[in-house]
Amino acid sequence: MDIIIRQESESDFRAVEDVVTLAFKGADHSDGNEASLVRALRTSGSFIPELSLVAVVEGMIVGYILLTKVGIGSGTGVALAPLAVLPSFQRMGIGTVLVSRGHEEAKRMGFSVSVVLGSPDYYMRHGYKPADAYCVYPPFDVASEYYMVCVLDRCRTVPRGVVRYDSAFGI
């Protein structure tokens, strides 16, 4: 299976929102508003077009990842939210390829760290570790094992402090 990863274009918006909706439908920790979050983030000051990526298989968008700029203490980083793969294409490595490319692009752009709220079983496979080990803290109450950091560039300083999300997140 050939997977093409490319930057999202405006003509992809509807397909991406469908992928996000279907991927989170029935998920344990979903509020059902993930597609609305993507729409809001696209018009926010934290949006970085180069970090809004789609996975395409045989001409069809089957996956999506978005990393947006966040403040961390007096520094910056990116937040991974959401990562979505169509249910019929899950467990085929598409999410892994999206995360890897997203991390590569964020590092290339000068970001040293990515934060994520999610499953430790999944995200630890991609280099994420509990954020509190890096003195990075969420702006909301959550069990520490679910809020994680991935160091993207070990040659740069990892900022410390509370993460500040774009207002589009509603936090």
Side-chain angles (χ1 to χ4, degrees):
M1 171 174 60
D2 288 334
I3 305 167
I4 296 167
I5 305 296
R6 62 169 173 77
Q7 185 176 325
E8 176 192 41
S9 67
E10 193 172 332
S11 63
D12 298 328
F13 287 3
R14 178 66 187 166
V16 164
E17 290 172 19
D18 288 346
V19 166
V20 171
T21 299
L22 290 169
F24 283 94
K25 189 176 185 176
D28 290 342
H29 300 288
S30 170
D31 62 6
N33 291 321
E34 291 81 8
S36 297
L37 174 62
V38 170
R39 277 193 301 278
L41 286 169
R42 284 187 190 120
T43 60
S44 75
S46 66
F47 184 71
I48 304 166
E50 297 86 353
L51 298 180
S52 181
L53 304 171
V54 294
V56 181
V57 173
E58 296 180 8
M60 182 173 77
I61 294 174
V62 300
Y64 178 69
I65 190 170
L66 179 59
L67 294 111
T68 52
K69 188 174 177 180
V70 292
I72 304 174
S74 62
T76 59
V78 292
L80 189 168
L83 170 64
V85 177
L86 285 176
S88 59
F89 285 86
Q90 291 176 3
R91 293 174 174 62
M92 295 182 182
I94 293 168
T96 296
V97 174
L98 282 164
V99 171
S100 178
R101 178 65 70 78
H103 284 174
E104 287 170 16
E105 290 299 313
K107 178 181 176 182
R108 183 186 60 74
M109 297 177 81
F111 293 101
S112 65
V113 66
S114 174
V115 297
V116 71
L117 173 63
S119 165
D121 291 338
Y122 183 79
Y123 286 103
M124 288 180 89
R125 290 185 276 160
H126 300 291
Y128 284 86
K129 296 183 179 359
D132 56 2
Y134 294 92
C135 299
V136 174
Y137 306 101
F140 44 77
D141 288 330
V142 63
S144 63
E145 65 265 23
Y146 294 102
Y147 199 74
M148 295 163 279
V149 161
C150 180
V151 176
L152 304 175
D153 188 343
R154 300 209 178 275
C155 295
R156 296 179 188 264
T157 302
V158 174
R160 296 175 174 216
V162 176
V163 176
R164 292 179 317 281
Y165 287 87
D166 190 281
S167 61
F169 280 94
I171 298 170

